[in-house]
Short mmCIF file of all heavy atoms in Angstrom, two decimals:
data_model
loop_
_atom_site.label_atom_id
_atom_site.label_comp_id
_atom_site.label_asym_id
_atom_site.label_seq_id
_atom_site.Cartn_x
_atom_site.Cartn_y
_atom_site.Cartn_z
N PRO A 2 -36.54 12.16 62.47
CA PRO A 2 -37.40 13.36 62.60
C PRO A 2 -38.67 13.25 61.85
O PRO A 2 -39.67 14.01 62.17
CB PRO A 2 -36.47 14.49 61.99
CG PRO A 2 -35.08 13.95 62.12
CD PRO A 2 -35.17 12.44 62.00
N ARG A 3 -38.73 12.40 60.81
CA ARG A 3 -39.99 12.44 60.06
C ARG A 3 -40.74 11.15 60.33
O ARG A 3 -41.71 10.75 59.55
CB ARG A 3 -39.60 12.38 58.44
CG ARG A 3 -38.93 13.66 57.99
CD ARG A 3 -38.79 13.75 56.56
NE ARG A 3 -38.12 14.95 56.08
CZ ARG A 3 -37.85 15.19 54.81
NH1 ARG A 3 -38.14 14.34 53.91
NH2 ARG A 3 -37.25 16.31 54.52
N GLY A 4 -40.46 10.52 61.40
CA GLY A 4 -41.12 9.33 61.82
C GLY A 4 -42.69 9.45 61.89
O GLY A 4 -43.46 8.65 61.41
N LEU A 5 -43.09 10.46 62.52
CA LEU A 5 -44.56 10.73 62.75
C LEU A 5 -45.24 11.02 61.47
O LEU A 5 -46.24 10.41 61.17
CB LEU A 5 -44.76 11.80 63.78
CG LEU A 5 -44.32 11.66 65.16
CD1 LEU A 5 -44.46 12.90 66.03
CD2 LEU A 5 -45.14 10.54 65.79
N ARG A 6 -44.67 11.93 60.58
CA ARG A 6 -45.29 12.26 59.38
C ARG A 6 -45.37 10.98 58.54
O ARG A 6 -46.28 10.78 57.79
CB ARG A 6 -44.52 13.31 58.68
CG ARG A 6 -44.49 14.67 59.47
CD ARG A 6 -45.86 15.38 59.47
NE ARG A 6 -45.83 16.53 60.29
CZ ARG A 6 -46.99 17.40 60.46
NH1 ARG A 6 -48.05 16.97 59.84
NH2 ARG A 6 -46.86 18.33 61.17
N GLY A 7 -44.18 10.29 58.45
CA GLY A 7 -44.08 9.16 57.58
C GLY A 7 -45.10 8.04 57.92
O GLY A 7 -45.72 7.50 57.05
N MET A 8 -45.28 7.82 59.22
CA MET A 8 -46.27 6.83 59.64
C MET A 8 -47.70 7.24 59.42
O MET A 8 -48.55 6.46 59.07
CB MET A 8 -45.96 6.47 61.08
CG MET A 8 -44.76 5.73 61.26
SD MET A 8 -44.70 5.00 62.96
CE MET A 8 -45.92 3.75 62.84
N SER A 9 -47.95 8.55 59.60
CA SER A 9 -49.25 9.01 59.43
C SER A 9 -49.66 8.88 57.86
O SER A 9 -50.79 8.67 57.58
CB SER A 9 -49.33 10.51 59.82
OG SER A 9 -48.58 11.29 59.02
N SER A 10 -48.70 8.98 57.01
CA SER A 10 -49.07 8.87 55.51
C SER A 10 -49.18 7.45 55.09
O SER A 10 -49.61 7.17 54.10
CB SER A 10 -47.95 9.61 54.76
OG SER A 10 -46.70 8.97 54.92
N ALA A 11 -48.74 6.52 56.03
CA ALA A 11 -48.73 5.15 55.61
C ALA A 11 -49.96 4.44 56.21
O ALA A 11 -50.17 3.19 55.90
CB ALA A 11 -47.60 4.41 56.13
N VAL A 12 -50.83 5.05 56.78
CA VAL A 12 -52.07 4.37 57.29
C VAL A 12 -52.97 4.18 56.18
O VAL A 12 -52.89 4.62 55.07
CB VAL A 12 -52.73 5.32 58.47
CG1 VAL A 12 -51.72 5.51 59.57
CG2 VAL A 12 -53.18 6.63 57.85
N ALA A 13 -54.15 3.41 56.51
CA ALA A 13 -55.05 3.02 55.46
C ALA A 13 -55.76 4.27 54.93
O ALA A 13 -55.79 5.30 55.54
CB ALA A 13 -56.06 2.10 56.14
N PRO A 14 -56.33 4.10 53.70
CA PRO A 14 -57.01 5.27 53.08
C PRO A 14 -58.20 5.77 53.99
O PRO A 14 -58.63 4.94 54.74
CB PRO A 14 -57.57 4.50 51.75
CG PRO A 14 -56.63 3.38 51.58
CD PRO A 14 -56.35 2.94 52.89
N GLU A 15 -58.50 7.00 53.71
CA GLU A 15 -59.58 7.67 54.52
C GLU A 15 -60.85 6.79 54.31
O GLU A 15 -61.21 6.37 53.33
CB GLU A 15 -59.83 9.04 53.94
CG GLU A 15 -60.80 9.88 54.68
CD GLU A 15 -60.93 11.33 54.25
OE1 GLU A 15 -60.17 11.61 53.32
OE2 GLU A 15 -61.73 12.05 54.71
N GLY A 16 -61.54 6.68 55.47
CA GLY A 16 -62.75 5.96 55.47
C GLY A 16 -62.56 4.60 56.02
O GLY A 16 -63.49 3.87 56.25
N ASN A 17 -61.26 4.19 55.89
CA ASN A 17 -60.97 2.79 56.40
C ASN A 17 -59.90 2.83 57.52
O ASN A 17 -59.37 1.83 57.77
CB ASN A 17 -60.41 2.02 55.27
CG ASN A 17 -60.40 0.48 55.56
OD1 ASN A 17 -61.18 -0.04 56.36
ND2 ASN A 17 -59.39 -0.24 55.02
N GLN A 18 -59.73 4.04 58.13
CA GLN A 18 -58.70 4.10 59.21
C GLN A 18 -59.30 3.61 60.46
O GLN A 18 -60.40 4.00 60.86
CB GLN A 18 -58.23 5.53 59.23
CG GLN A 18 -57.51 6.10 58.07
CD GLN A 18 -57.09 7.53 58.33
OE1 GLN A 18 -57.57 8.17 59.26
NE2 GLN A 18 -56.21 8.01 57.51
N GLY A 19 -58.51 2.89 61.23
CA GLY A 19 -58.87 2.46 62.55
C GLY A 19 -58.50 3.46 63.58
O GLY A 19 -58.01 4.57 63.25
N LYS A 20 -58.57 3.11 64.82
CA LYS A 20 -58.36 4.14 65.89
C LYS A 20 -56.91 4.47 65.96
O LYS A 20 -56.55 5.56 66.22
CB LYS A 20 -58.73 3.57 67.24
CG LYS A 20 -57.95 2.27 67.66
CD LYS A 20 -58.51 1.88 69.12
CE LYS A 20 -57.80 0.68 69.55
NZ LYS A 20 -58.15 0.16 70.86
N TRP A 21 -55.98 3.55 65.52
CA TRP A 21 -54.51 3.82 65.48
C TRP A 21 -54.14 4.73 64.42
O TRP A 21 -53.27 5.57 64.61
CB TRP A 21 -53.67 2.49 65.51
CG TRP A 21 -53.86 1.72 66.72
CD1 TRP A 21 -54.42 0.42 66.65
CD2 TRP A 21 -53.59 2.02 68.06
NE1 TRP A 21 -54.52 -0.04 68.03
CE2 TRP A 21 -53.94 0.94 68.84
CE3 TRP A 21 -53.10 3.15 68.61
CZ2 TRP A 21 -53.81 0.93 70.22
CZ3 TRP A 21 -52.82 3.15 70.00
CH2 TRP A 21 -53.26 2.06 70.77
N GLY A 22 -54.75 4.55 63.25
CA GLY A 22 -54.53 5.50 62.19
C GLY A 22 -55.00 6.91 62.55
O GLY A 22 -54.26 7.84 62.29
N LYS A 23 -56.13 7.02 63.22
CA LYS A 23 -56.56 8.43 63.69
C LYS A 23 -55.53 8.93 64.69
O LYS A 23 -55.41 10.19 64.72
CB LYS A 23 -57.87 8.30 64.22
CG LYS A 23 -58.96 7.98 63.15
CD LYS A 23 -60.44 7.85 63.87
CE LYS A 23 -61.44 7.53 62.80
NZ LYS A 23 -62.75 7.34 63.37
N LEU A 24 -55.01 8.02 65.56
CA LEU A 24 -54.09 8.45 66.54
C LEU A 24 -52.80 8.99 65.95
O LEU A 24 -52.25 10.00 66.27
CB LEU A 24 -53.78 7.33 67.53
CG LEU A 24 -52.63 7.64 68.51
CD1 LEU A 24 -52.90 8.81 69.44
CD2 LEU A 24 -52.34 6.36 69.44
N LEU A 25 -52.32 8.30 64.89
CA LEU A 25 -51.07 8.76 64.21
C LEU A 25 -51.36 10.12 63.54
O LEU A 25 -50.37 10.96 63.66
CB LEU A 25 -50.77 7.79 63.04
CG LEU A 25 -50.17 6.36 63.55
CD1 LEU A 25 -50.11 5.41 62.31
CD2 LEU A 25 -48.82 6.58 64.17
N GLN A 26 -52.54 10.31 62.93
CA GLN A 26 -52.66 11.62 62.39
C GLN A 26 -52.79 12.72 63.48
O GLN A 26 -52.45 13.85 63.32
CB GLN A 26 -53.99 11.62 61.57
CG GLN A 26 -54.38 12.82 60.82
CD GLN A 26 -53.24 13.00 59.78
OE1 GLN A 26 -52.97 12.17 58.94
NE2 GLN A 26 -52.67 14.25 59.76
N PHE A 27 -53.46 12.35 64.61
CA PHE A 27 -53.53 13.22 65.72
C PHE A 27 -52.20 13.71 66.28
O PHE A 27 -51.96 14.87 66.40
CB PHE A 27 -54.35 12.54 66.89
CG PHE A 27 -54.53 13.38 68.07
CD1 PHE A 27 -55.60 14.32 68.25
CD2 PHE A 27 -53.66 13.23 69.16
CE1 PHE A 27 -55.68 15.12 69.31
CE2 PHE A 27 -53.85 13.96 70.34
CZ PHE A 27 -54.81 14.89 70.41
N LEU A 28 -51.27 12.70 66.46
CA LEU A 28 -49.99 13.08 66.85
C LEU A 28 -49.08 13.85 65.81
O LEU A 28 -48.47 14.79 66.14
CB LEU A 28 -49.16 11.77 67.21
CG LEU A 28 -49.76 11.05 68.40
CD1 LEU A 28 -49.00 9.68 68.50
CD2 LEU A 28 -49.53 11.83 69.70
N ALA A 29 -49.32 13.54 64.55
CA ALA A 29 -48.53 14.22 63.50
C ALA A 29 -49.00 15.64 63.36
O ALA A 29 -48.23 16.51 63.03
CB ALA A 29 -48.76 13.43 62.19
N ASP A 30 -50.18 15.89 63.66
CA ASP A 30 -50.83 17.27 63.60
C ASP A 30 -50.20 18.22 64.71
O ASP A 30 -50.22 19.40 64.57
CB ASP A 30 -52.30 17.32 63.65
CG ASP A 30 -52.88 16.76 62.31
OD1 ASP A 30 -52.14 16.74 61.35
OD2 ASP A 30 -54.13 16.39 62.39
N ARG A 31 -49.75 17.61 65.78
CA ARG A 31 -49.43 18.28 66.95
C ARG A 31 -47.95 18.18 67.28
O ARG A 31 -47.42 19.00 68.09
CB ARG A 31 -50.19 17.81 68.16
CG ARG A 31 -51.61 18.37 68.05
CD ARG A 31 -52.62 17.48 68.83
NE ARG A 31 -53.95 18.08 68.75
CZ ARG A 31 -54.76 17.77 67.72
NH1 ARG A 31 -54.30 17.15 66.73
NH2 ARG A 31 -55.92 18.33 67.68
N PHE A 32 -47.23 17.31 66.68
CA PHE A 32 -45.77 17.23 66.99
C PHE A 32 -45.04 17.15 65.66
O PHE A 32 -45.36 16.48 64.67
CB PHE A 32 -45.44 15.90 67.74
CG PHE A 32 -45.95 15.81 69.15
CD1 PHE A 32 -47.06 15.11 69.36
CD2 PHE A 32 -45.43 16.61 70.11
CE1 PHE A 32 -47.61 14.99 70.66
CE2 PHE A 32 -45.99 16.50 71.41
CZ PHE A 32 -47.03 15.70 71.66
N TYR A 33 -44.07 18.03 65.49
CA TYR A 33 -43.34 18.12 64.24
C TYR A 33 -42.22 17.15 63.97
O TYR A 33 -41.75 16.88 62.93
CB TYR A 33 -42.79 19.64 64.10
CG TYR A 33 -43.93 20.62 63.84
CD1 TYR A 33 -44.35 21.39 64.97
CD2 TYR A 33 -44.58 20.71 62.65
CE1 TYR A 33 -45.33 22.28 64.78
CE2 TYR A 33 -45.54 21.65 62.57
CZ TYR A 33 -45.92 22.31 63.55
OH TYR A 33 -47.04 23.20 63.48
N ASP A 34 -41.76 16.63 65.16
CA ASP A 34 -40.61 15.53 65.06
C ASP A 34 -40.70 14.66 66.30
O ASP A 34 -41.55 14.91 67.28
CB ASP A 34 -39.28 16.27 64.93
CG ASP A 34 -39.06 17.28 66.04
OD1 ASP A 34 -39.41 16.93 67.20
OD2 ASP A 34 -38.46 18.36 65.81
N VAL A 35 -39.87 13.63 66.26
CA VAL A 35 -39.85 12.73 67.40
C VAL A 35 -39.31 13.37 68.64
O VAL A 35 -39.82 13.06 69.83
CB VAL A 35 -39.00 11.51 67.03
CG1 VAL A 35 -38.78 10.61 68.17
CG2 VAL A 35 -39.57 10.79 65.84
N GLU A 36 -38.42 14.36 68.56
CA GLU A 36 -37.87 15.01 69.74
C GLU A 36 -38.95 15.68 70.62
O GLU A 36 -38.97 15.70 71.73
CB GLU A 36 -36.75 15.95 69.36
CG GLU A 36 -35.47 15.30 68.97
CD GLU A 36 -34.82 14.31 69.91
OE1 GLU A 36 -35.00 14.66 71.06
OE2 GLU A 36 -34.40 13.24 69.49
N ALA A 37 -39.88 16.32 69.77
CA ALA A 37 -40.95 17.00 70.51
C ALA A 37 -41.79 16.08 71.22
O ALA A 37 -42.32 16.33 72.39
CB ALA A 37 -41.80 17.76 69.46
N LEU A 38 -42.06 14.87 70.64
CA LEU A 38 -42.90 13.84 71.26
C LEU A 38 -42.08 13.33 72.49
O LEU A 38 -42.72 13.10 73.49
CB LEU A 38 -43.15 12.70 70.29
CG LEU A 38 -43.94 11.48 70.88
CD1 LEU A 38 -45.29 11.88 71.46
CD2 LEU A 38 -44.11 10.35 69.84
N ARG A 39 -40.83 13.11 72.30
CA ARG A 39 -39.98 12.65 73.43
C ARG A 39 -40.07 13.53 74.65
O ARG A 39 -40.27 13.14 75.83
CB ARG A 39 -38.62 12.44 73.12
CG ARG A 39 -38.27 11.20 72.25
CD ARG A 39 -36.78 11.16 71.88
NE ARG A 39 -36.54 9.87 71.19
CZ ARG A 39 -35.30 9.70 70.61
NH1 ARG A 39 -34.30 10.58 70.80
NH2 ARG A 39 -35.09 8.51 70.00
N GLU A 40 -39.99 14.92 74.37
CA GLU A 40 -40.04 15.91 75.48
C GLU A 40 -41.36 15.88 76.15
O GLU A 40 -41.48 16.01 77.31
CB GLU A 40 -39.68 17.23 74.83
CG GLU A 40 -39.79 18.43 75.85
CD GLU A 40 -38.79 18.28 76.96
OE1 GLU A 40 -37.71 17.52 76.80
OE2 GLU A 40 -39.09 18.87 78.07
N TYR A 41 -42.48 15.76 75.33
CA TYR A 41 -43.77 15.68 75.86
C TYR A 41 -44.00 14.53 76.80
O TYR A 41 -44.49 14.53 77.90
CB TYR A 41 -44.82 15.68 74.78
CG TYR A 41 -46.16 15.11 75.28
CD1 TYR A 41 -46.96 15.94 76.08
CD2 TYR A 41 -46.59 13.92 74.90
CE1 TYR A 41 -48.18 15.48 76.58
CE2 TYR A 41 -47.89 13.43 75.34
CZ TYR A 41 -48.62 14.22 76.12
OH TYR A 41 -49.85 13.73 76.62
N LEU A 42 -43.46 13.28 76.34
CA LEU A 42 -43.66 12.05 77.15
C LEU A 42 -42.74 12.26 78.44
O LEU A 42 -43.17 11.72 79.46
CB LEU A 42 -43.23 10.88 76.36
CG LEU A 42 -44.18 10.55 75.18
CD1 LEU A 42 -43.51 9.37 74.20
CD2 LEU A 42 -45.51 10.15 75.69
N PHE A 43 -41.58 12.82 78.32
CA PHE A 43 -40.73 13.02 79.49
C PHE A 43 -41.47 13.89 80.57
O PHE A 43 -41.52 13.51 81.74
CB PHE A 43 -39.48 13.65 79.07
CG PHE A 43 -38.50 13.92 80.28
CD1 PHE A 43 -37.89 12.90 80.96
CD2 PHE A 43 -38.43 15.28 80.70
CE1 PHE A 43 -37.10 13.29 82.00
CE2 PHE A 43 -37.56 15.60 81.77
CZ PHE A 43 -36.96 14.58 82.48
N GLN A 44 -42.03 14.89 80.12
CA GLN A 44 -42.67 15.84 80.99
C GLN A 44 -43.97 15.14 81.62
O GLN A 44 -44.21 15.29 82.75
CB GLN A 44 -43.19 17.07 80.32
CG GLN A 44 -41.97 18.00 79.89
CD GLN A 44 -41.20 18.51 80.98
OE1 GLN A 44 -41.64 18.60 82.13
NE2 GLN A 44 -39.86 18.66 80.64
N LYS A 45 -44.56 14.30 80.85
CA LYS A 45 -45.74 13.59 81.33
C LYS A 45 -45.25 12.56 82.50
O LYS A 45 -45.99 12.38 83.41
CB LYS A 45 -46.47 12.88 80.20
CG LYS A 45 -47.84 12.17 80.52
CD LYS A 45 -48.43 11.59 79.35
CE LYS A 45 -49.75 10.94 79.73
NZ LYS A 45 -50.78 11.90 80.16
N GLN A 46 -44.15 11.87 82.10
CA GLN A 46 -43.71 10.90 83.16
C GLN A 46 -43.28 11.64 84.36
O GLN A 46 -43.61 11.16 85.59
CB GLN A 46 -42.47 10.16 82.51
CG GLN A 46 -41.87 9.21 83.44
CD GLN A 46 -40.63 8.58 82.96
OE1 GLN A 46 -39.91 9.19 82.18
NE2 GLN A 46 -40.36 7.34 83.40
#
């Protein structure tokens, strides 16, 4: 359940984040857990 939040906190410090770090933060801001992300991806599929 904390996979998104955990990974977003593990990215490089601010100012040195790449596009994937920004993506992790983007997802973490909009999904509270992995199940929500799964449901979104299922609906998209």
